[in-house]
């Protein structure tokens, strides 16, 4: 909970609730893996105005109600940079219970700050029942920005809603200079569902991006 705190060159595994919970500080060159929890924000990492640099966030499992199985981020100064967020899973996902913060964002969910220079790939939901929002098994942005990232091969096995499996953008969130390709809902066979915005005007918030099957 101290802004000057630093955690470097470690593996964090087996967390219940959050693998790492940050309120400021720096998480650098670490691996966060094998964390399991329901009803939480950030199963692997909860980042509130901290910096997550050069980390591997993989193999974390969100159960039922959660937001961000890999990482959840909030705060204007929060940063994810040069990270790989991969192979985070959920067998059955509902999104978080907490009202307007209930987006799913399996790989990463951002309410603020920036994710940049990162790979978000091969995250998978078996079944999505998060009914209130259009959700992402890649990156859900309902605040903040994504810059110079690749989001690919994130999948959703089945859904009772339009679970967007690449990136979702809401409000003033922006996506720039990013590649968003080959994300899919398995039940739609070869149809890729890559990018979503909450209004027609907000599709302009995707800037200089490659979005394709």
């Amino acid at each position: 909970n101290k802004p000057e705190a630093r955690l470097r060159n470690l593996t964090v595994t087996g967390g219940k609730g959050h693998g790492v919970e940050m309120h400021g500080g720096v998480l650098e060159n670490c691996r966060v893996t094998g964390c399991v929890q329901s009803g939480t924000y950030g199963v692997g990492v909860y980042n509130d105005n901290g910096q997550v640099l050069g980390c591997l966030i993989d193999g974390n499992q969100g159960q039922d109600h959660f937001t961000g199985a890999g990482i959840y981020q909030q705060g204007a100064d929060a940063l994810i940079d040069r990270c790989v967020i991969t192979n985070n899973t959920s067998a059955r996902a509902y999104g978080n219970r907490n009202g307007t913060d209930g987006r799913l964002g399996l790989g990463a969910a951002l309410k603020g700050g920036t994710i940049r220079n990162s790979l978000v790939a091969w995250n998978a939901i078996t079944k999505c029942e998060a009914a209130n929002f259009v959700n992402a098994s890649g990156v859900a942005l309902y605040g903040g920005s994504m810059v110079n990232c690749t989001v690919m091969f994130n999948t959703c096995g089945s859904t009772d809603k339009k679970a967007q499996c690449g990136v979702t953008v809401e409000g003033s969130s922006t996506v720039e200079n990013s590649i968003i390709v080959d994300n899919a809902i398995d039940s739609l066979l070869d149809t890729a569902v890559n990018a979503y915005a909450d209004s027609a005007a907000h599709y302009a918030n995707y800037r200089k991006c490659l979005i394709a099957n």
Side-chain angles (χ1 to χ4, degrees):
N1 291 331
K2 295 184 178 181
E4 66 272 19
R6 290 178 176 267
L7 190 64
R8 290 176 171 167
N9 304 322
L10 295 173
T11 295
V12 178
T13 188
K16 303 293 183 182
H18 312 292
V20 177
E21 180 175 351
M22 306 171 61
H23 299 273
V26 177
L27 181 70
E28 186 173 8
N29 295 330
C30 291
R31 183 184 185 190
V32 182
T33 187
C35 303
V36 180
Q37 184 63 351
S38 172
T40 193
Y41 290 88
V43 177
V45 179
Y46 177 97
N47 180 22
D48 180 6
N49 268 324
Q51 297 183 31
V52 182
L53 310 175
C55 291
L56 171 62
I57 302 170
D58 72 310
N60 302 291
Q61 184 181 111
Q63 297 180 335
D64 298 333
H65 299 273
F66 66 91
T67 298
I71 185 168
Y72 168 82
Q73 176 169 285
Q74 65 181 26
D77 296 327
L79 176 65
I80 302 163
D81 190 13
R82 295 173 283 108
C83 291
V84 176
I85 303 168
T86 187
N87 289 306
N88 300 287
T89 62
S90 176
R92 190 176 185 184
Y94 297 92
N96 210 299
R97 294 185 177 89
N98 296 324
T100 56
D101 285 349
R103 287 75 162 179
L104 187 56
L106 181 68
L110 271 70
K111 191 178 180 181
T114 300
I115 178 171
R116 68 189 185 199
N117 306 321
S118 295
L119 172 67
V120 183
W122 293 286
N123 300 287
I125 305 168
T126 302
K127 185 174 184 180
C128 179
E129 298 180 2
N132 294 329
F133 302 97
V134 176
N135 292 284
S137 60
V139 181
L141 294 110
Y142 52 109
S145 62
M146 183 170 77
V147 184
N148 298 334
C149 291
T150 297
V151 182
M152 62 191 301
F153 301 137
N154 301 288
T155 62
C156 180
S158 64
T159 177
D160 62 354
K161 289 289 180 179
K162 297 178 181 178
Q164 304 291 335
C165 293
V167 177
T168 62
V169 163
E170 299 184 40
S172 60
S173 301
T174 59
V175 179
E176 299 185 21
N177 300 324
S178 293
I179 298 170
I180 307 167
V181 297
D182 290 327
N183 302 283
I185 299 174
D186 289 352
S187 60
L188 299 182
L189 300 177
D190 293 328
T191 301
V193 186
N194 287 296
Y196 167 84
D198 62 343
S199 72
H202 289 157
Y203 279 100
N205 293 358
Y206 290 92
R207 302 164 186 166
K208 299 180 181 178
C209 294
L210 171 64
I211 303 171
N213 291 359

